[in-house]
Amino acid sequence: MISVAIMGHGVVGSGVAEILYTHKQKLFAAIGEEINVKHILDLRDFPDSPFADRFTKDYKDIVNDIEVRVVVETMGGLHPAYEFVKECLSCGKSVVTSNKELVAAYGAELLAIASEQNANFLFEASVGGGIPIIRPINQCLVANNVSEIAGILNGTTNFILTKMIHEGMGFDEALKLAQELGYAERNPEADVEGYDACRKICILASLAFGKHIYPDAVHTEGITKITAADVEYANAWGGVIKLIGSVKKLDKDTIDIIVAPMFVPNNSQLANIDDVFNGIMVRGDCTGDVVFYGKGAGKLPTASAVVADIVDSIKHLKSRKYLSWADSDNSSVLPYPQSVRAMFVRGVAEAPEAAYHNARDLFGDIHIQTRENAPEKEIAFITEPLALSEFEEKCRQLEGIEIGSVIRIGDL
Ligand code: HSE
């Protein structure tokens, strides 16, 4: 019998306890031993839980229990999750977490401690919820040089955009519905401003390229400024707007990493990933594109990934799994003004023809984009790919247009 402990009995933690209880036989068959949930840390009481007698409010009960070999961290947030995880790893316990904020902020340090202690620090559930993505990149695709990862990494914003695209809802109405259905994080800002997707693309980039990429180095835009008009223009262009986390390897020392809403063409594999689903494309030099799709959030999908890590940790109690990346100073991140993309511009001009003329003078070849029933003075065009700094400078010089929206064109 192997003893484990769970820190945090919220949505994901209670899902982990539930699966360990309901899938006991299945898991026994996989490991050849019973998993004993010895402690659950939470400040609340859960008298109806089958593990009601295992609850504690003192994390020291877990840290000091030498029988506990694997600790699950599903508290979320940075503190005290970081301190608890660090202490558990430092005393040789393996730790499994769903906490992307923790991994994105402290992954390199916690992986190094795990390595020193010959323990495991696993976090499959931190990206893509129930979708296998960490293990596939780390193991199944290990023979590849990965050149690019791009994905829809946040279910809440994908739900909101889907409602805007297919049901004509406005942003506020769709966000309210997402909150009513319980999709949004405690603080919806993390979802709608792109911070959650940013943490996830940082974890994938760190894993694929071997150096920790910290979220503060990544240019991040959310979806709060996307309007119904932008959605209609994307449709007329032949695509949809999606919040994309993207990282590309430009050369051996440089990556271009960003989180932003983008126009995604209808023929892209990411265009039809709707509602709360996530989709992640990994481009390997041997495999070509591999796409992962499934439920990126929710109690049991996320808990399923956590339980898989518990099983993996138990199977590797004596021989550590190789999962690691070096710390870094973010110097490999391309300064985002140098990032090159085509841009969609929507605005209002008193004299649309003259405005398009000015835009051509500055940007060269532009594609004028129309939509049905556009207001008389509305104009919209798409530039050729150019560096953001150059784009912004030209926008400053652009006369006769009041710019309303600027959205990147995703080459996906
Ligand atoms: N709020 C997140 C999402 C949960 O909507 O994707 C999973 O990280």
Side-chain angles (χ1 to χ4, degrees), residues 100 126 153-157 183-185 191 196 200 278 296-297:
K100 54 248 162 200
S126 66
L153 299 167
N154 181 269
T156 302
T157 46
Y183 294 145
E185 298 269 293
D191 292 312
D196 177 75
K200 292 168 178 169
N278 285 189

Side-chain angles (χ1 to χ4, degrees), residues 302-355:
T302 309
S304 147
V306 174
V307 173
D309 278 350
I310 296 173
V311 168
D312 221 1
S313 297
I314 291 173
K315 285 183 169 177
H316 292 86
L317 283 176
K318 297 197 181 87
S319 55
R320 193 179 163 265
K321 280 179 70 74
Y322 187 79
L323 171 63
S324 192
W325 60 66
D327 204 356
S328 90
D329 58 2
N330 289 323
S331 57
S332 55
V333 175
L334 182 79
Y336 98 92
Q338 293 172 28
S339 178
V340 171
R341 289 184 204 263
M343 306 296 268
F344 164 79
V345 179
R346 180 176 62 80
V348 174
E350 280 306 316
E353 281 313 312

